[in-house]
Each structure stands twice: as structure tokens, then as C-alpha cells.
Amino acid sequence: MKGSCLCGAVTFQLTGDLPSIYQCHCSLCRKVSGSSSNSALIVARSHFQWRSGENQIKSFATPSGFKSEFCCHCGSPVPNLSADGQSYWVPAGLMSEPISTQVSAHVYVDSRANWDTGFLSDDVDKFAQMPPAIEAG
């Protein structure tokens, strides 16, 4: 399965079965996405491959360790390697073709925006923080 940033300068490919998507509602993810949450997959490093544009990626990190990587041309968030080097955080919206997975968890729901209420009535699990069960697929 292929994915890319908005302008197509950064491209990547995922192999194997995809893990479930999680939606993070924390304030940092809201700012990075410009939305109510950030939808992502945690993909094992062995199932991720850059295809082009890796040298077009810029990075921003907060003192707390939160990291955002993005295309230097269009500003789209792009996959980034986890601190332990074992997996990639992949924004679900970057996938270029339909994917056969779905949202299985809402995380950091206690810090959601007060207007972010649409997900509250769905049947998806909700967590105050990131549960250890969300691991690379």
C-alpha cells in the first residue's frame, strides 16, 4: 500500500497486514493536524519503506519529546520513526489507496477539545492516555 504527502514529494510504502487506526485527541495532535484528532497507524519498521523524498522532510520537536515531521514543500505531516526505532507513526490520511482497517481506539480523550464530541457515542474504545496495547502491526 502506497502513501504520500499532499504534493507527492515524499512517498512511502507499507507491506503486510495493517494495524488498526487510533485517533489521538491530545492538544499537540490537534495542533499538528489542525483538526479534532490525529488518525494514525503504528507500523513495524520492517513493514515500512521510503520510496522517495526522505531528504525533503523537516522535523520539529518539543522539549517534552513530541516530534512532528513534515514535507518541506507542502507541510503535510509524514511518517516518523518512533523513539525506540522499532516502528513508524504513519498518518492514516496519507494513504493513496483504500485501506482495509478501521479506527479501534480514541486516545487522550480527557484532553480533547471541549467541542470535540462526535466520537463520544461511537462503539470504539476510549482511553485517557495511550494504552500499551497499541503496538506496531
Side-chain angles (χ1 to χ4, degrees):
M1 289 147 275
K2 297 176 183 173
S4 71
C5 65
L6 181 63
C7 72
V10 177
T11 64
F12 60 92
Q13 184 170 329
L14 307 180
T15 58
D17 293 332
L18 292 180
S20 297
I21 296 169
Y22 76 90
Q23 290 184 318
C24 183
H25 297 263
C26 79
S27 63
L28 296 171
C29 280
R30 290 196 316 269
K31 288 185 182 284
V32 164
S33 69
S35 186
S36 62
S37 64
N38 203 344
S39 301
L41 304 107
I42 305 295
V43 178
R45 188 175 185 167
S46 61
H47 293 277
F48 181 91
Q49 178 182 16
W50 291 110
R51 296 182 68 230
S52 66
E54 195 174 357
N55 62 340
Q56 303 300 310
I57 296 172
K58 298 293 181 190
S59 186
F60 170 79
T62 66
S64 68
F66 178 86
K67 180 172 65 169
S68 174
E69 294 191 343
F70 51 93
C71 172
C72 69
H73 299 288
C74 66
S76 292
V78 297
N80 65 65
L81 191 61
S82 63
D84 67 8
Q86 299 301 306
S87 60
Y88 275 89
W89 171 84
V90 180
L94 297 182
M95 301 312 298
S96 300
E97 51 198 276
I99 57 176
S100 58
T101 191
Q102 52 191 281
V103 175
S104 68
H106 293 284
V107 300
Y108 291 98
V109 297
D110 288 354
S111 63
R112 67 179 169 76
N114 64 340
W115 48 265
D116 181 13
T117 59
F119 73 95
L120 292 174
S121 61
D122 69 22
D123 292 334
V124 176
D125 290 335
K126 296 160 187 68
F127 301 92
Q129 297 182 10
M130 182 70 81
I134 297 180
E135 297 177 7

